[in-house]
Each structure stands twice: as C-alpha cells, then as structure tokens.
Amino acid sequence: MTAATESSSLGAPESVTRRADETTAGAGRGDWRALATQPLLVAVGVLAFVLWRANATLTETEARQLGWTALWTGIREHLLLTVASAVIVLLIAVPLGIALTRRPLRRFSPLISGIANTGQAAPAIGLFVLLATWLGFGFGTTVVALVVYAALPVLRNTMVGIQGVDPRLVEAGRGMGMSAAAVLFRVELPLAVPVVLAGVRTALVLLVGTATLATFIDGGGLGVLINTGITLSLDSLLVSGAVLVALLALAVDWLGRVVEHVARPKGL
Amino acid sequence: MSETTTPATATPPDRRVSGVSIRLDGVTKRYPGQDRPAVDDVSLEIPAGETVMFVGPSGCGKTTLLKMLNRLIEPTSGRIHLGDEDVTDQDPDRLRRRIGYVIQAGGLFPHMTVGTNVALVPRMLGWDKRRTATRVDELLDLVGLDPAVYRDRYPRELSGGQQQRVGVARALAADPPVLLMDEPFGAVDPVTRLRLQDELLRIQEELGKTIVFVTHDFDEAVKLGDRIVVFDVGARVVQYDTPEAILANPAEEYVADFVGAGATLKQLTLTRVGDVELRQVTTAVVGTDSAQAVAAVRSAGHDFVVVLDERGRPISWPTLAELTRTTTVPAAVDERLPVVDLRSTLNDALDTMLAASQGGVVVTGRREALAGVLMVESVMAAIQRSRAEVAG
C-alpha cells in the first residue's frame, strides 16, 4: 500500500460519514428552514441567469450556443447522464453494500472497498479517456465512467450505515426469533436509511459535477458550453455553463435533502 | 425435583406455574483456536416456574451458557431440553419465538413504537390484529406503563427504566414458558434498578415463568433468585442452591470470596421489607381539606402525613408544619419521595433512605398502594437481630 492510496482510502469514507452525521443530527424546525433556503437560492440564480440572457448583447456564435433550445438540450442531456448513472449506481452499490455486510461475504469487504476507493481516487478525466479508448466515445461510455466514479459513496455509506446498527439490536431481533432476512429488512436497513441516503445525495452531486467531463468523450451535457467557452475564449459561454451546472447541483442536492428528510424513519 | 424444598422467600409456595423445566446434558462450547472450552460439559436442571440466577466473574461463560439455551450460540456438543422436548436440533427461529429474551437496555428497536416493538413476536406467530393489540395493552399494563400514554411513543421518548419495562413486555408478548434475561438491569441507575427488580418479582409472582437471569451482582441474585448457580471459568458449576444456603454455607473458598465479606449484612438482602414491622401513618387524599388532615395527624401524635393520589398511591410526605400552611392537600408529586416495595429487601430500603437522606422510607404494596412507612430504626433492629443470630 502506498501512502497515496492509503490516505485516499481513509479520506473518502471520512468525508462521507461526516456528511452522514450532518444530516442525522436533529430534525427540528431549523432543518426545515435550511431546506427552504436552498430552493430559494436556486430560484434567484435561475432568475438572474434568465434576465441576463434575455438582455445581454451577444455575438452570433454566443447567441447560437446560448439559444434557449440549445440550453435546454444541454440541461436535458446533463440530467439524463446524471439520472441514468445514479440509477445504475443504486442498483449496483446498494445490494453490493448489503451483501458485503453479510457474514459469508464480510471478508471480501476490504477488497471491494479498495477497488471502489481506487475508482474514486483516479482522476475523473483520466478515467473518462481510458474508458473511451476501450469502449469508444458516446453516451454509454460516459455513463459507465460516471458509475465507476460515483459508486463509492453509495457503497461505502450502505456498508457504514448497516455496520453502524447497534449489534445488540441485531441480537435482540435474532433472539426473539426473527430470521436473518427479517432482521435485515425490518431492523438493519430501516436504521441505515439516513446514512445510505446521505451517500446517495453525495453521489448525485458528484455526478452532476463530473458529468461536465462528458463533453470530452462526446457524451453531451452542459460541459459542451464550458468546453466551447474555453476553446473559443468566450467567457459568456464558460460562465453560463459553470453557473448552470452549479445551479443544477444545488437543486439536485436539495431534492436529495428533501428525500432524506421524508424517508428518515420516525423515532430516530 | 418437586421434593426439593424452596425455603422461605417472598414468593409463596402455592404460586402459579406457567413455565417449563430446562435440562442441560453435558453442554459444551468450544471456539476454534482456544485451548479451553468456553463452556465445559455443563449438566444442569432448572425447575419449572423458578427464577434461577447465573452469577460468576466476567468471562466465566455464564452468558455463553444462557445464549445456548435459545441457541443464539450453538453448543458444540450436549443436549438441551425444554420440558420433555429435546430442542437441540429444532429450527432456532421457531424455538426462539417460544423463549422470551431480554437484554441490557431492553434492546428496543428505535424506529418502531413501543406497541410495534411489543407486537413483534405475536405478529411472527401469525396472531390477528385484534388479539395482538389486546395483548400489547395487557402487557404494557402488566409492566406498569399506561398503554394509552406509551403505546404510540418511540423508545427514544422513554427513560431507561421504562425502556427496560417495555423490553420485558416484549419478551413476554407471546406468553413464552421460559424467559432469558442477560444482565437486563445493568445499565440503569440504582434507584430505577431496585424498582425494576421489585417489578420483576411481582410479575413472576403473577406468571410463574421459568426465568434464567444472568447477573454479576450477587445482591441482585440473592434478591431475585429462587436458586443461584455460581460459576467459575468454563462455566464450571461451583454451587447450585438457594440464596439462603449459599450465604450460610459457601461450597468453596471461591464462593465465599464471591459472596463477599460482611455476609452477615448480606442477610439484609434476604429479609424483605414485608417481613419486618412497618409503622402505620396518617394519610390524606389529594384535594381534601387540609385542616381536617392536620387534626387527624395531631390526634394520632404523628409529625407528618403521607399524601395519596386518587388511586391510593403515595405522592409526597409533607410535615405537619408544611401541611398547616395549605388549605387543601397539595397535589404536587415529590420526585424525591423515597419509596420501596414490600418485596424490596432491607438492603434496598437502607440504600433508598441513604440516597434520599431520610430516616425512613414509604412502603407500597399491590398496585403501588401505600402499605406503611419503614423507619431506619427497624432496619437497625433487624441487623442487630441477624448479627446476634450469627454470633449465637
């Protein structure tokens, strides 16, 4: 083990669990206020952008790139990349995380977390390009790269969430005659929900950000705006792309928080 | 085993028995990579309807042995019988639904309400909704929690003692003949622990389950147990007898050490509050005329009055002077009022008095109704009597 992988394998879960703690602490009125503030900020941001776009004097190239249809296509592609990758991440990482906390597979958990850690520690752009040389350019490859990149927080939090359930509760469940499956579905998973969802939200935000790199392997999305802005030295395009991605990330993060708030089991 | 005598304890000999006996035959547990077995060839018979306490130092295998009774830990060899039935090879999940299991702090599931927690085993057994709901209320009532108030609360909203009560209710939900308790009162404060112990004695008096109870507290063992098993390393049974017999004749030096010095004073643990004379006191019901109460106290020659609520439960004990200052008997509940049960030991009573810095303690009986007041002098007299007996 080199020092670099060592620190990354420690660093990532820490940040993940810290986020989890943040969201599990207290569900009072302050929480709702925070939840209400975020969409307000996003709305203000969107409004500001729309006003600027409607009133700015733009060159022909800028106007074409920032046309309402072009923008809408970019946003749609970006969301599609994010959602498709997120769904695949959920389908793979949650069951895998659960399986790795079961007794027969528990010994593989360091190996799998190691692999997942490497996936996240690798520079995203390198991952995109490597996969593209292997699988070819396009939407599919982008989704594969995004899945590899974002699986870690969900996998990690699923495992941490389940491992964080008081072992005495598991014993109490078994001791009263619940089967192993019943304990998993009625005790361990419900109690792990807040931590798992925090991981999902982290992954979503990562996905929105990382999906901007899709443009380099012909995957579309808002990265196209940013990339064009850079190559043509058009700051208006660059900033528009960046602002839109940021607003999208904030909106997705907010949705995640709402889901966490609603899905958190009562009594915790 | 019926000819074995059960010497005088707080429980009457003609009590109801709903438990079954437990028989262990050469039960052994070996863990791979360890030279000595954790539990080494234990044979033991636990009579139906009795409370048997497992005591011993930590690591002696008492908890392992307990967990082999419901097969949370599978024995390496040996047989386990419940009643006439060999359960060693039965499906463990089905077996456990017939054995109540209580652990420290109750082990309640925090994301389920009290009612859902208690209803878990009946649901698994396929009881219908109405029967389950009735049973839940019945059990909450049994452990002294008002169902209407507590049924829909979450464990987090309960005190440690209340959670432990719910834990007992949950274990009793499907009316299992056997109850296993693994240091259940280890995590609560001393005063609450006394209450919970009294409560368990009361419940056991009503139900007559077979209870196996692991503890490291010898006083608790003496107080609650019909019999005590003292274990040494490898769950070797050093002595298996009634508390009285173990205190009087420790089988080995080891037991004498474990029982501890001052075994004379340990006799305090054998004497129940109900066995000594209680002082009768003047009472007044909440909301009645103070002047009348004051007159009654004066004519009885007392200097305080015990205030009872509508259900006859003591809630405070103001002095005559304090009572004179009021017009109606106050309804305020004195949180620090020292209370013990008739089933409490003199040891508990003395502890409670010291904790409250009071020279006496209010004693309650059935349904928490007032039974009298125990004064510190009576406890002292009992100590002197027992010392005189030992000396003579």
Side-chain angles (χ1 to χ4, degrees), chain B residues 204-226:
Chain B
Q204 172 65 348
E205 201 170 295
E206 262 177 59
L207 303 180
K209 302 287 178 195
T210 306
I211 301 181
V212 183
F213 190 120
V214 167
T215 180
H216 58 263
D217 177 358
F218 197 75
D219 288 342
E220 183 169 67
V222 171
K223 177 177 178 183
L224 297 178
D226 295 315

Side-chain angles (χ1 to χ4, degrees), chain A residues 168-169 171-180 186-187 190-191 265-268, chain B residues 67 70 72 93 96-97 101 103 107-112 120-121 124 154 156 170:
Chain A
R168 287 179 315 173
L169 294 182
E171 195 189 86
R174 295 310 307 268
M176 72 171 74
M178 289 169 93
S179 66
R186 300 208 57 193
V187 180
L191 290 175
K266 285 197 196 100
L268 290 189
Chain B
K67 287 183 183 170
N70 65 358
L72 274 177
D93 290 338
R96 291 181 199 132
R97 287 171 204 170
Y101 185 52
I103 62 174
L108 300 183
F109 299 136
H111 58 301
M112 298 180 189
L120 280 167
V121 180
M124 280 191 273
Y154 285 95
R156 188 184 54 163
R170 185 173 70 174

Side-chain angles (χ1 to χ4, degrees), chain A:
Chain A
M1 274 278 146
T2 65
T5 50
E6 188 72 41
S7 69
S8 74
S9 68
L10 286 173
E14 252 172 40
S15 69
V16 169
T17 40
R18 184 168 44 74
R19 274 170 170 282
D21 286 346
E22 246 167 57
T23 51
T24 45
R29 230 180 305 144
D31 246 29
W32 280 112
R33 211 172 301 152
L35 275 183
T37 321
Q38 205 166 337
L40 226 66
L41 280 176
V42 173
V44 170
V46 170
L47 196 70
F49 177 79
V50 168
L51 282 178
W52 168 82
R53 170 66 190 82
N55 298 310
T57 41
L58 298 168
T59 63
E60 200 191 321
T61 330
E62 284 173 327
R64 197 168 52 244
Q65 293 285 338
L66 290 175
W68 295 113
T69 9
L71 282 178
W72 178 234
T73 312
I75 291 172
R76 226 184 38 216
E77 280 173 0
H78 207 95
L79 273 176
L80 192 63
L81 280 171
T82 307
V83 171
S85 321
V87 168
I88 296 172
V89 163
L90 282 181
L91 288 179
I92 295 173
V94 172
L96 186 63
I98 293 171
L100 287 174
T101 58
R102 301 300 96 189
R103 196 183 293 271
L105 295 178
R106 219 172 278 169
R107 60 208 167 98
F108 296 113
S109 69
L111 179 73
I112 304 289
S113 345
I115 294 174
N117 272 321
T118 324
Q120 172 138 67
I125 183 74
L127 194 68
F128 274 71
V129 173
L130 268 179
L131 278 173
T133 54
W134 177 34
L135 299 172
F137 282 50
F139 180 82
T141 310
T142 313
V143 169
V144 173
L146 286 174
V147 167
V148 171
Y149 192 65
L152 176 73
V154 179
L155 179 69
R156 195 73 209 194
N157 274 30
T158 305
M159 288 165 63
V160 167
I162 292 178
Q163 283 159 356
V165 174
D166 187 343
R168 287 179 315 173
L169 294 182
V170 175
E171 195 189 86
R174 295 310 307 268
M176 72 171 74
M178 289 169 93
S179 66
V183 171
L184 173 65
F185 287 106
R186 300 208 57 193
V187 180
E188 292 176 273
L189 280 180
L191 290 175
V193 155
V195 182
V196 176
L197 285 181
V200 172
R201 184 165 55 83
T202 310
L204 277 170
V205 174
L206 269 179
L207 282 171
V208 172
T210 317
T212 48
L213 299 177
T215 176
F216 296 115
I217 59 168
D218 202 16
L222 290 168
V224 177
L225 267 184
I226 300 177
N227 194 27
T228 318
I230 294 173
T231 24
L232 302 182
S233 295
L234 290 174
D235 284 354
S236 57
L237 296 189
L238 174 63
V239 173
S240 298
V243 165
L244 285 176
V245 170
L247 288 174
L248 205 58
L250 276 173
V252 165
D253 180 70
W254 175 74
L255 269 179
R257 282 178 198 276
V258 170
V259 172
E260 273 173 51
H261 204 92
V262 174
R264 151 200 268 318
K266 285 197 196 100
L268 290 189

